[in-house]
Amino acid sequence: MAKDLETIRNIGICAHIDAGKTTVTERILYFAGRTYKIGEVHDGTAVMDYLEEEQQRGITITSAATTLHWRDHTINLIDTPGHVDFTIEVERSLRVLDGAVAVFCAVGGVEAQSETVWRQADRYHVPRLCFVNKMDRLGADFEMVVAQIASRLNGRPVCLQIPMGAGDDFRGEIDLIRQKAYFYDPAEVATTLRVEDIPAEYADEAELARHEMIEKAVECDDALMETYLAEEPLTEEQIIAALRAGTLSGKMHPVLCGSALKHMGVQALLDKVVTLLPSPLDVPPVAGHESLTSDKELIRHADPDEPFSALVFKITSDTHGDLNFLRVYSGTLKAGTRVLNSTQDRKENISRLWEMHAKQRLTRDEARAGDIVAVVGLRGALTGDTLCDTRHPIVLEKLDLPDPVISMSIEPRTNADKQAMVDALNILRREDPSFQYSHHEETGQTVISGMGELHLEIVKNKIVRDLGLEVRVGKPRVSYKETILGSAEAEGRFIRQTGGRGQYGVVTLRVESHHPAEGEPTILFEDLTKGGVIPKQYIPAVAEGVRDAATSGPLAGYPMQNIKVTLLDGKDHPVDSSEIAFHQAGVLAFNQAVEQANPVFLEPIMRLSISTPEEYLGAITGDISARRGVVKANEPRGKYRVVTAEAPLAELFGYSTQLRSLSQGRAGGTMEPLMYAPAPAHVADQILRYV
């Protein structure tokens, strides 16, 4: 069974928008014999971009899964979006994958979303290969991209190939391990690969690059280092073993190159996926807890004979019920099995199992440790839920979900469609955890929130086209937050005396500004009481009261964040005290304290990355300044300038249209959420005016 697991590769293809991820995936499917006709993104025929919206726009919106075979290995592959509005798709894919292929454009290099994807892979300790795509494009620069992987991403690139030529002169790659040159026959759409000796004009460059590769490889293997220092020859198998050890440990990121559009370099990439990226046996066992409230840690190994455990990482709505995508970490799951959703503490039935190929499905009788499958039958599962053996419960770590930065109102055309719209929004929220909606009782408005204008536009299109509802939407609005700049203390007293048992809870809190580290809660609660002034069983109720109060700030009711709350003192009553009383006392004390601690609005700041011809640089940087933006970097890249800037989201609505206008359509750019920062006084006044 271990042999079967050794031949499984769970990988994702991820990158910046327009780096060529889906094109790489389509070529992989073709060469692996999974498809017999190559789909093209620009024609709207890509297998993995199967949604109508994806085909119309030529972008990936939702991650698509498929299974293929290459050199006696099974590869479960997920093609992820590049647009920052759909970053949750990348996040949840990397959470369940063992390895990844990071695709870079040979002209654009490391771009804004490349950095976001790389950080996500770092967070989940995902080993990765780098594929420098579009080497056939004018301005392609392989060495520049490799240097940027090191400088901008803090990566450890190790070149396993070097290109022969670039742009129109790109002829193929030199494999530094085999010391062979790979040529392609353009007349056969480059599907014919010829392996020949290295041409004389590349011999010196290849020798130097091979020497550098071996030096970095032997650093990961002490025994091999001794062989190398003794100047003994190294075999191909020894070099590959050292490169694999370095890749799995994250000490190196092997770099390959090619042109997916012209089919160049894809077979070599597949070879390196099976030889260098991890199997389920190569990654650490998954850890979890016995229950949501338990501190007892449990471990599950990638073993079909261990108790079953799996994570729901994606849900898509279907006419016959939700389709739940699972990564099976341990044990075996059979169709018709009853499982425990340990996150929600409810039992569910798995009626059918599917192996997915984009939108196509193949029936499976069972899924084993290491598999990625889709199941039907779960009724209430949400993204991030754990499924496990009913007799051996475990709760795995949940996904990190980003906060929405933009919102807009939505209403049905007719009152009769109100409930249908709520049902549609619930379906979309189940599918996409980065999408949220809320109903305001005072105004009667329903407000939807997401990661960007494109995100909300696609949500609206899904409701109209896929679910058949006519809706009206308001203008996009910024999702502000609130925080404090100072510190203050306050006492909260919740004392109620009626006939019989009353309510008694008194707490003293201090609130202060706080900058949480990654993974730390944005509202940090600390108990510094001494001598049992508040019985221990009531402390969690105070903390819960604080968190509940923080969902609505004192200025305009926006959620609060970046606050440290310290419980200093309190009083209880031997008869009248209760969890409810201390919960309410915590709410009162928090509300009073934050009002005295200089509360301010926080506005989302976006990071812009703009590529523009030199002649439009002045107009574009001037426009950024007029939008309260700050230019952080301005560097040449070929005939273009790449501007990196930071600007408030409130000033960036419709920016892509303005950017095209300023550059006669020749500049392009992306933006992604960077942070929340205090809003200036005049912006705060505007916010209050519209509340």
Side-chain angles (χ1 to χ4, degrees), residues 231-449:
E231 298 186 358
E232 295 177 23
L234 300 178
T235 65
E236 191 176 309
E237 290 74 19
Q238 286 176 311
I239 295 170
I240 290 173
L243 290 169
R244 189 167 200 269
T247 304
L248 299 188
S249 65
K251 293 178 180 176
M252 65 173 63
H253 302 109
V255 184
L256 309 167
C257 63
S259 167
L261 187 64
K262 294 187 176 177
H263 313 86
M264 301 167 79
V266 178
Q267 295 113 305
L269 174 61
L270 274 167
D271 288 343
K272 296 302 182 288
V273 163
V274 299
T275 55
L276 299 181
L277 287 181
S279 74
L281 295 173
D282 295 316
V283 296
V286 68
H289 292 90
E290 201 167 39
S291 69
L292 283 173
T293 56
S294 169
D295 292 330
K296 182 180 178 182
E297 189 170 88
L298 301 174
I299 297 294
R300 292 284 187 269
H301 296 86
D303 183 343
D305 298 323
E306 282 208 6
F308 165 70
S309 67
L311 189 80
V312 179
F313 70 93
K314 179 178 169 65
I315 299 171
T316 58
S317 182
D318 189 75
T319 50
H320 305 295
D322 286 347
L323 197 62
N324 295 263
F325 288 75
L326 310 181
R327 161 67 194 263
V328 182
Y329 283 102
S330 63
T332 302
L333 175 66
K334 296 188 177 181
T337 305
R338 193 162 174 79
V339 299
L340 173 67
N341 181 333
S342 54
T343 312
Q344 299 186 26
D345 195 23
R346 61 187 286 179
K347 292 182 180 178
E348 300 263 25
N349 292 315
I350 304 290
S351 56
R352 303 189 77 175
L353 280 168
W354 304 98
E355 180 181 294
M356 299 302 294
H357 175 52
K359 63 179 177 181
Q360 299 171 13
R361 308 175 189 179
L362 299 172
T363 305
R364 295 255 310 240
D365 294 326
E366 66 176 26
R368 318 186 90 170
D371 284 343
I372 291 178
V373 294
V375 301
V376 175
L378 301 179
R379 291 186 177 274
L382 299 172
T383 299
D385 281 1
T386 301
L387 302 181
C388 59
D389 190 317
T390 54
R391 294 160 300 176
H392 300 91
I394 185 173
V395 180
L396 304 178
E397 180 189 352
K398 292 196 78 167
L399 287 161
D400 287 328
L401 300 178
D403 287 332
V405 297
I406 191 171
S407 59
M408 64 186 183
S409 61
I410 185 169
E411 59 182 33
R413 292 275 180 187
T414 65
N415 283 333
D417 286 339
K418 271 188 177 179
Q419 187 56 47
M421 187 186 77
V422 171
D423 294 342
L425 294 176
N426 282 328
I427 289 170
L428 293 171
R429 185 163 60 180
R430 268 203 321 276
E431 288 186 357
D432 180 0
S434 66
F435 165 72
Q436 296 178 14
Y437 81 90
S438 58
H439 183 73
H440 291 263
E441 293 294 340
E442 293 178 11
T443 63
Q445 269 193 330
T446 300
V447 175
I448 58 175
S449 305

Side-chain angles (χ1 to χ4, degrees), residues 35 69 178 197 215 266 331 353 505 546 563 568 588 591 645 667 689:
T35 57
H69 301 278
R178 296 179 62 190
D197 290 334
E215 277 196 339
V266 178
L353 280 168
V546 164
I563 300 175
L568 301 173
L588 293 170
N591 287 340
R689 201 176 304 146

Side-chain angles (χ1 to χ4, degrees), residues 34-61:
R34 200 68 180 79
T35 57
Y36 301 99
K37 180 177 181 296
I38 297 174
E40 299 290 7
V41 175
H42 51 267
D43 291 338
T45 57
V47 173
M48 303 300 271
D49 285 353
Y50 59 87
L51 297 178
E52 186 179 335
E53 192 88 38
E54 294 178 315
Q55 293 170 352
Q56 287 176 354
R57 294 174 182 270
I59 62 170
T60 303
I61 291 170

Side-chain angles (χ1 to χ4, degrees), residues 125-144:
H125 307 291
V126 178
R128 69 216 77 141
L129 303 178
C130 302
F131 183 69
V132 181
N133 191 26
K134 303 190 180 183
M135 283 302 303
D136 60 314
R137 287 261 312 269
L138 183 66
D141 189 336
F142 178 74
E143 292 181 0
M144 173 203 74

